[in-house]
Amino acid sequence: MPLQQGSARMRQRTVLLVGIVVLLAALVLAVVLASLLTHGRHEVGPKMLKWKDRGTTKNLQEVILGRCYNYITAQHPELGDKDCLKIWESLKDAFIYKNPCNITPEDYQPLLELASHPIPCNKSLFWSKTGELVHRYTKSNQNFLTLEDTLLGYMADRVSWCGDPSAPGINYESCPKRNECESNPGSVFWKTASKMFAEAACGVVQVMLNGSVEAGAFRSSSIFGSIEIFNLDPDKVSEVHIWLMQNIGGPQSESCSGHSIQRLISILEERNFKIICEDNYRPVQLLQCVHNPDHTDCRLCTNST
Amino acid sequence: KWKGEGTTQNLESIVIGRCYDYIRIVNPSVGEKNCSQIWEAFKNAFINKDPCSILPKDYELFINLTLHTIPPNKSLFWENNQLLVNSFADRGRRYMSLGDTLFGFVGDFLNWCGQADSPGLDYESCPTTMECENNAVESFWRMASITYAQHSSGVIHVLLNGSAEGGAYPQPGFFADYEIPALQKDKISQVVIWVVDDIKGPDIDSCGTHTVKTLETRLKTLGYDVTCTDN
């Protein structure tokens, strides 16, 4: 009967239409909800790996760029041809979207090439376990340069970074500690940069070591002991001057005649470098004296002068 | 056109970069700041204006955005010995000089100026203070110095150069004209003056003589407890 069929078909069509509308509404709702949820979480990808050390420094790009321009404009105008934007990009490309346990020295090659600059002879100053003191010294005496006084080290000092395979590719929450994996972006950077810094040294080089550390002033496991001394070029470097600094009034764990220093000297002599070791190099000791002006070691006239 | 150096290249990147460097690494205790906003406030103080018409109060918004507490007993004022002060203050660890505050840190050793009827910075040249006092850089440091002095408290220190020609306490000078008048007497317990001669330099001025005596007298008259030490 056509009329009954007609109304049944109309009912069917209505049900179908309502069903489609409900489906569409549900779809739209789902899309809206999904975008809201992912928007809230876009800074920490839900699949980002979790590590034990602090994450990438916030505003890393601005800090690196600003330091680069600061270095080449305000401090070292002879480096005016460096391209800071390219340098930043090459740093970012070294680690972004990569698993932070798989970083290699090759990842940093483009950055090293763009940011490296020649270092005048007789000015390279290496250091181990004397970070604060050595940088206070180079700040007041521009005759010496540590790695952190070169463009590369200046940009990276006290800053941390690491990537992650999931978006946005940079992990601001955490980064691997060395004991979690050795081939992490920070460790590989400093090892690679230190190697290059040592290779670039010429003439007389200096190293400031800590004679108040229990474990010994020279350690084979340090970057200095494992990388830098082996990358000094005997055709370019003639002498190594060791400044063995002890804390004012602090433990005198080691001096130039100590075991680890003797070991260091023999390693260096084997590579044909001439070595001079000085206990408590006076110009640096005077800086230490700012904190202890009344100590006997800090008198203006010493017996030796 | 002007006798002074032009604006430092890449000024914007340097200022913004230094701002983030300060709040993330140098002194994170100052908390969160909006460095892009700070740059805008800094820039708006002097762009599109006659470069000889910039006043300290043009930097008011910049100062408001960058202000933070200066720990008591850590203020270090100085004249004619900036490198020594930077070394001695140890980037805020021992003392906090003006250059170790956020507002001083972003401007230190930089140069800038704008031009009338143009939003651009002048990279060619900028007026020296001799050409006109109310220039962008001079007014910046006047405003920064006033602010620094206003927010100093406890024991304040002044490092003067006993080998400086013309005397250790220069007049006119920033300390004399902007900082001393801005000190908040009820917040300051003592003023400690150090007069230090250059190594192998002449001993032109010392405590109790010439310009240092003038300074000591002025501060005592204002009611401060003053001590002075040579070298």
Side-chain angles (χ1 to χ4, degrees), chain A residues 19-287:
Chain A
I20 291 175
V21 169
V22 169
L23 254 170
L24 273 171
L27 204 67
V28 169
L29 195 67
V31 169
V32 169
L33 267 174
S35 74
L36 275 174
L37 283 171
T38 54
H39 176 78
R41 258 194 255 167
H42 89 273
E43 275 135 359
V44 182
K47 285 180 277 183
M48 261 202 193
L49 303 161
K50 287 188 165 62
W51 308 102
K52 294 197 180 132
D53 215 347
R54 59 187 177 137
T56 301
T57 305
K58 285 204 206 136
N59 304 106
L60 181 70
Q61 174 172 348
E62 286 88 346
V63 172
I64 298 288
L65 266 181
R67 283 179 174 189
C68 183
Y69 285 123
N70 197 56
Y71 191 94
I72 69 174
T73 308
Q75 291 178 8
H76 296 263
E78 73 273 14
L79 297 177
D81 60 337
K82 293 286 184 204
D83 187 335
C84 288
L85 273 168
K86 270 214 189 113
I87 286 172
W88 158 248
E89 291 293 321
S90 68
L91 169 60
K92 194 173 62 163
D93 291 340
F95 69 92
I96 197 171
Y97 283 111
K98 295 183 185 167
N99 184 312
C101 283
N102 274 345
I103 305 298
T104 66
E106 288 70 46
D107 288 326
Y108 285 113
Q109 269 318 113
L111 168 63
L112 260 48
E113 254 156 70
L114 287 169
S116 69
H117 57 85
I119 301 192
C121 289
N122 310 319
K123 294 205 176 190
S124 299
L125 176 51
F126 299 87
W127 58 275
S128 194
K129 304 298 175 252
T130 50
E132 243 194 73
L133 183 57
V134 77
H135 294 121
R136 253 191 282 153
Y137 186 61
T138 58
K139 247 188 81 175
S140 51
N141 185 344
Q142 262 107 48
N143 265 328
F144 298 101
L145 286 166
T146 62
L147 169 55
E148 294 73 26
D149 297 307
T150 66
L151 173 58
L152 202 56
Y154 180 81
M155 288 188 297
D157 201 18
R158 289 169 303 148
V159 158
S160 62
W161 62 83
C162 68
D164 189 284
S166 40
I170 301 182
N171 193 338
Y172 291 97
E173 300 302 306
S174 63
C175 286
K177 255 191 153 118
R178 253 189 77 185
N179 55 22
E180 291 181 281
C181 61
E182 283 225 26
S183 297
N184 66 73
S187 300
V188 174
F189 172 82
W190 288 110
K191 281 189 185 159
T192 316
S194 299
K195 176 167 181 274
M196 201 181 73
F197 182 62
E199 286 167 347
C202 59
V204 177
V205 308
Q206 287 74 212
V207 56
M208 191 186 296
L209 299 175
N210 190 336
S212 288
V213 187
E214 247 189 76
F218 170 68
R219 253 100 56 74
S220 301
S221 57
S222 64
I223 288 191
F224 175 66
S226 60
I227 294 173
E228 289 171 329
I229 54 175
F230 297 110
N231 283 283
L232 293 172
D233 185 345
D235 291 332
K236 295 195 325 194
V237 174
S238 52
E239 276 176 47
V240 179
H241 287 189
I242 303 169
W243 299 335
L244 191 34
M245 306 307 300
Q246 295 162 342
N247 297 343
I248 303 281
Q252 298 184 343
S253 314
E254 200 165 354
S255 64
C256 282
S257 51
H259 280 302
S260 77
I261 298 297
Q262 291 309 304
R263 202 160 40 89
L264 168 62
I265 291 176
S266 66
I267 294 174
L268 289 171
E269 281 179 340
E270 217 174 307
R271 301 195 70 224
N272 279 325
F273 299 113
K274 174 165 172 238
I275 320 296
I276 297 179
C277 184
E278 201 173 330
D279 287 307
N280 292 312
Y281 180 61
R282 191 63 174 159
V284 176
Q285 189 182 50
L286 286 171
L287 257 189

Side-chain angles (χ1 to χ4, degrees), chain B residues 193-210:
Chain B
I193 305 170
W194 294 321
V195 183
V196 179
D197 299 331
D198 293 335
I199 303 285
K200 291 201 254 182
D203 177 14
I204 295 181
D205 239 353
S206 353
C207 294
T209 71
H210 310 132

Side-chain angles (χ1 to χ4, degrees), chain B residues 21-41:
Chain B
D21 203 335
Y22 192 91
I23 68 175
R24 300 281 176 239
I25 299 159
V26 175
N27 188 6
S29 71
V30 303
E32 193 62 31
K33 301 275 185 201
N34 186 334
C35 290
S36 302
Q37 224 188 351
I38 286 170
W39 161 253
E40 288 300 314

